[in-house]
Amino acid sequence: MKRYAIIILLVIVAAFGGLLVFCESHDNRTADSLSAYCRIDFQGLRGSDGTATSAKFTIWDTRYNGEKPSTHLKLYTDDKVWELTAAVKQEKSGLWQKTNVLSVFLPSAALSAIADAKTVRCEFSYPNGKTIDLPLNAADLAYWQDQVK
């Protein structure tokens, strides 16, 4: 009987340990582009004459820890830095998962910089010191540039 209790206890500990390792590795995942790391959306906003006046950029970052990201978001267009303040909310997206939603409106001055940029990167961070700093891939950059023209 003791042997079965020990085996059951070891299985429970191994399963819980595996879950912790999975959650930690998900929250510390790596990627080569922003859309490979998280879900993003970019919408160019147009005035009544059809010209781009602003853009809305939204990030959905699913994590297992409960930290909310900082509201400070940086957008880099080539060598220019756009320091922006994002609206941040957190949604429960699974038993242990939470999705942090960062939304920001870009100023009209940033639109021409995006249209002419060879690279665009986004940077945001969490209170634990984790910083996500990733570029757009070529397809996303082309889409953004199409939205602001």
Side-chain angles (χ1 to χ4, degrees), residues 109-122:
L111 304 184
S112 61
I114 291 170
D116 297 333
K118 290 184 176 97
T119 60
V120 173
R121 283 186 5 248
C122 177

Side-chain angles (χ1 to χ4, degrees), residues 45-144:
L45 305 173
R46 302 194 177 280
S48 59
D49 63 352
T51 60
T53 57
S54 182
K56 182 180 180 189
F57 175 41
T58 307
I59 297 171
W60 290 268
D61 185 19
T62 302
R63 306 188 72 76
Y64 284 95
N65 68 31
E67 286 189 315
K68 285 186 180 179
S70 168
T71 59
H72 301 289
L73 183 139
K74 292 181 184 175
L75 193 69
Y76 297 88
T77 54
D78 293 332
D79 294 328
K80 177 126 174 94
V81 180
W82 301 89
E83 297 203 24
L84 306 166
T85 301
V88 176
K89 70 178 181 176
Q90 192 172 70
E91 303 169 343
K92 189 167 173 69
S93 56
L95 184 58
W96 292 295
Q97 284 184 330
K98 293 177 179 54
T99 299
N100 293 312
V101 182
L102 295 88
S103 296
V104 65
F105 285 94
L106 303 178
S108 59
L111 304 184
S112 61
I114 291 170
D116 297 333
K118 290 184 176 97
T119 60
V120 173
R121 283 186 5 248
C122 177
E123 177 185 311
F124 60 99
S125 61
Y126 284 88
N128 67 1
K130 174 74 174 172
T131 298
I132 292 80
D133 182 357
L134 291 167
L136 296 179
N137 61 34
D140 289 334
L141 178 58
Y143 177 79
W144 282 36

Side-chain angles (χ1 to χ4, degrees), residues 1-17:
M1 188 66 168
K2 275 186 173 181
R3 185 178 305 180
Y4 292 118
I6 291 172
I7 291 172
I8 290 171
L9 181 63
L10 287 174
V11 168
I12 290 171
V13 168
F16 185 70

Side-chain angles (χ1 to χ4, degrees), residues 6-31:
I6 291 172
I7 291 172
I8 290 171
L9 181 63
L10 287 174
V11 168
I12 290 171
V13 168
F16 185 70
L19 179 64
L20 287 177
V21 167
F22 171 78
C23 292
E24 181 67 21
S25 67
H26 177 82
D27 285 351
N28 291 303
R29 62 201 181 274
T30 59

